[in-house]
Amino acid sequence: MNHPRIVLNVVSNGLLFISLFNVVKSQPTISEIMPPNNTSNGSTVNHMLLLRDNLFDAYGSVYVRPVRDGKSTTVVTFRMLLHSLLDMDTKNQRFKISTWVKMTWRDEFLQWNSSEYGGIDVIHVPAASVWRPDITLHSNTEDTFELVKPDTFVELRPEGTVVWYVPIIYGSTCLQHVRYFPFDRQECTMKFSSWAYDGAALEPQAEAGADAEQIRFAENGVWSFISVTNEVITEYFPCCPEPYYHLEFTIVFQRNAGFYVTYLILPCCFLSALSLLVFLLPPDCGEKLTLSITNLLALVVFQQLIAETMPPNGNELPLLGTYFLAMIIMVCVSVVGTVLVISISHNSTQMHPWIKTLFLDVLSKVVCLKVDMDTEGSEPTPHKMTNGSTSFDEGNLNSGYNELSAVTNTDNGISSMTSTDPNIAKILRIMAFMKNEMVSQSDKENRQLLWKQVSKVIDRCLFIILVIYALAISLTIGTYIYMGSETVQEHDE
């Protein structure tokens, strides 16, 4: 009795299945609904996800060198392009640069057949998910060692090539050569190598070709970029038979000297010239010494500015500092000479004949200075003495004294007036005393005039000597700096 019911159920189920099949068959497919591009994108994404899962499911630790044979060598191609010079600390002999670094190596565990994954030949994964070479800067000066952007990616290719582009800020030591400051060039050497692996396990190489050329550089206001070169150096140590490879980059910078010429060198030259003009002032001018000391203090300040900039390097002193020292010596000599000239110009003692012959007869002609010699051997010039409101003229006094003396010495008896009238005798004594004083004062002034002439000759001699000294020092040091800087440029080229 159940057989007819069973047959009925089977027939009804079959009819239901046929109807559902027809409904499904009548519906449009995904390819008919979605455009062809979206189908391709979806397939690419699926293939990329699948490829990533297949690569990293069995990748292993990121701290193990990715080779199947532990004796094989991993070759790392290193490229460093300079972006900008952040700081050049001349005093502490270090510098900081911003760079674009590219490292390329082969990972034997990250290989695939692109035809099996929709033709995918490049994928990008986080750099922290793969092994990376520990290429380290040896001459590092930063607390954090290297400032690397943390969230960087690496580029993977089917043959296992890994390319890592990363911006890095390096701080390194740089031995400063300041002999030709501020026209100097600085060569900074940066040595890179693996910190953990020897040359048998990891070999760094410098990238060559157009991709490694330095064609862009953010100019710095103080320094100009000249060139960058690299070479691989192989070293052996007594402890180990394996070689150790170091990649050295030599970066050359040229200092822009315009700022230092304008604010350091030219003011020093003007102060030195101003120090020479001191000897053109009159010997009895009190401002001579003040001007000399002021110039000396200004030069000392300029020298301190240079000393604060330069490193404390005893093996190589800047020529500009030597020039400032020479100018300070010149100003010190001018101060001593000024004191000597002022002291001589106020001298009133009797002049020795050899001094007169040397300075007034010989040196005055050598330095082309005309000397007034009328005071030597001449009669005392008329001189006026003032006592309160009464003025005495030396010429009138001599004339009156002579007339009064002639009257008192006549033979007509009038000479007895000196004995009968004590006032006349007193007047004669006073007049004789005043005459002697005036003659003595005139002689003293004549001697002072001679000493002033000598001081003028000394002034002119010091002026000529220091002018020759300043020109010689300036030309010598200037020529030395120019030739030295040219030699350095030719060597770099």
Side-chain angles (χ1 to χ4, degrees):
M1 294 181 62
N2 294 330
H3 292 288
R5 182 176 297 177
I6 294 174
V7 172
L8 182 61
N9 290 334
V10 171
V11 172
S12 61
N13 291 333
L15 293 176
L16 179 61
F17 176 78
I18 293 173
S19 62
L20 290 174
F21 177 78
N22 291 331
V23 172
V24 172
K25 185 177 181 181
S26 63
Q27 297 295 325
T29 62
I30 296 177
S31 59
E32 295 176 347
I33 298 176
M34 298 181 64
N37 291 337
N38 291 340
T39 303
S40 176
N41 291 340
S43 176
T44 301
V45 171
N46 293 333
H47 285 147
M48 188 175 296
L49 293 175
L50 178 63
L51 172 60
R52 184 175 298 177
D53 292 339
N54 292 339
L55 288 177
F56 288 97
D57 282 346
Y59 184 73
S61 175
V62 297
Y63 302 106
V64 179
R65 192 164 58 93
V67 292
R68 301 186 184 276
D69 184 4
K71 297 182 180 179
S72 62
T73 302
T74 302
V75 178
V76 179
T77 304
F78 187 87
R79 184 205 70 181
M80 183 181 69
L81 298 180
L82 274 69
H83 174 259
S84 62
L85 174 64
L86 302 180
D87 182 37
M88 177 68 77
D89 192 348
T90 304
K91 186 175 181 62
N92 296 316
Q93 304 194 69
R94 61 187 182 186
F95 77 115
K96 183 186 293 186
I97 56 174
S98 174
T99 63
W100 295 334
V101 173
K102 172 188 175 184
M103 285 184 278
T104 306
W105 66 95
R106 186 170 179 268
D107 193 320
E108 298 181 6
F109 299 107
L110 296 177
Q111 300 176 348
W112 71 91
N113 187 351
S114 60
S115 61
E116 298 178 357
Y117 295 95
I120 297 176
D121 54 0
V122 174
I123 63 172
H124 295 84
V125 297
S129 63
V130 301
W131 176 88
R132 289 170 293 173
D134 59 337
I135 302 297
T136 307
L137 174 64
H138 285 209
S139 55
N140 176 74
T141 58
E142 295 297 318
D143 297 335
T144 55
F145 218 77
E146 295 171 0
L147 299 179
V148 183
K149 191 175 185 298
D151 52 346
T152 56
F153 284 76
V154 295
E155 181 181 294
L156 306 182
R157 296 175 184 174
E159 64 276 10
T161 301
V162 182
V163 183
W164 185 24
Y165 297 94
V166 56
I168 303 179
I169 295 178
Y170 287 114
S172 174
T173 59
C174 181
L175 181 61
Q176 301 288 311
H177 301 280
V178 296
R179 185 169 183 80
Y180 304 110
F181 173 85
F183 306 96
D184 54 326
R185 283 191 175 192
Q186 301 299 334
E187 294 186 1
C188 301
T189 301
M190 305 174 66
K191 183 168 72 172
F192 297 88
S193 69
S194 173
W195 195 258
Y197 300 102
D198 55 29
L202 192 147
E203 179 183 352
Q205 294 182 355
E207 183 172 343
D211 193 34
E213 294 181 359
Q214 181 76 43
I215 58 177
R216 294 184 180 89
F217 181 77
E219 291 296 333
N220 185 282
V222 181
W223 296 91
S224 298
F225 171 77
I226 302 299
S227 64
V228 56
T229 57
N230 58 74
E231 62 175 335
V232 179
I233 298 176
T234 305
E235 293 183 352
Y236 290 89
F237 298 96
C239 66
C240 313
E242 297 83 3
Y244 286 84
Y245 300 102
H246 303 283
L247 185 59
E248 284 193 1
F249 284 82
T250 302
I251 310 172
V252 181
F253 296 101
Q254 172 73 50
R255 191 191 302 267
N256 299 326
F259 173 83
Y260 299 95
V261 171
T262 304
Y263 295 101
L264 204 62
I265 298 179
L266 290 181
C268 175
C269 295
F270 293 150
L271 286 175
S272 302
L274 194 61
S275 300
L276 297 175
L277 296 180
V278 170
F279 297 104
L280 299 180
L281 294 175
D284 54 352
C285 182
E287 287 74 14
K288 289 171 65 73
L289 188 60
T290 303
L291 181 58
S292 299
I293 295 177
T294 303
N295 291 337
L296 176 61
L297 294 177
L299 287 175
V300 170
V301 170
F302 276 103
Q303 189 187 40
Q304 292 299 318
L305 292 177
I306 295 180
E308 291 178 359
T309 306
M310 297 297 98
N313 189 357
N315 298 327
E316 191 176 54
L317 298 178
L319 291 175
L320 185 61
T322 305
Y323 174 74
F324 273 93
L325 179 60
M327 293 298 103
I328 289 176
I329 293 175
M330 184 192 72
V331 177
C332 290
V333 172
S334 70
V335 171
V336 175
T338 301
V339 173
L340 178 63
V341 167
I342 293 176
S343 177
I344 292 176
S345 65
H346 289 83
N347 191 10
S348 60
T349 60
Q350 187 66 35
M351 182 181 295
H352 293 282
W354 68 269
I355 296 179
K356 174 180 176 300
T357 302
L358 176 62
F359 288 95
L360 302 183
D361 295 339
V362 179
L363 290 181
S364 62
K365 297 178 181 179
V366 174
V367 298
C368 301
L369 180 64
K370 185 178 180 180
V371 179
D372 186 9
M373 300 293 295
D374 295 339
T375 58
E376 181 65 18
S378 62
E379 293 294 330
T381 57
H383 180 74
K384 289 186 177 182
M385 295 182 61
T386 303
N387 185 11
S389 61
T390 306
S391 178
F392 300 96
D393 187 274
E394 184 179 348
N396 296 333
L397 182 61
N398 290 336
S399 177
Y401 177 80
N402 293 333
E403 292 177 0
L404 185 57
S405 298
V407 171
T408 56
N409 293 328
T410 56
D411 297 333
N412 56 8
I414 304 178
S415 59
S416 59
M417 295 174 57
T418 57
S419 59
T420 58
D421 192 351
N423 293 330
I424 296 178
K426 186 177 180 180
I427 291 173
L428 289 175
R429 287 193 301 269
I430 292 175
M431 294 178 69
F433 174 78
M434 295 178 65
K435 177 183 177 181
N436 293 332
E437 286 296 320
M438 289 184 177
V439 170
S440 176
Q441 183 68 22
S442 297
D443 290 340
K444 181 179 179 181
E445 292 185 356
N446 288 336
R447 291 193 299 269
Q448 285 183 346
L449 290 176
L450 288 176
W451 283 110
K452 285 184 178 180
Q453 298 297 326
V454 171
S455 65
K456 289 182 180 180
V457 175
I458 295 176
D459 249 353
R460 182 64 61 87
C461 292
L462 289 175
F463 174 74
I464 294 176
I465 292 173
L466 293 182
V467 166
I468 296 174
Y469 171 83
L471 291 177
I473 291 295
S474 301
L475 292 177
T476 301
I477 294 182
T479 304
Y480 202 95
I481 291 177
Y482 176 77
M483 295 180 62
S485 59
E486 288 294 326
T487 302
V488 172
Q489 293 180 11
E490 292 176 0
H491 175 73
D492 293 338
E493 293 174 358

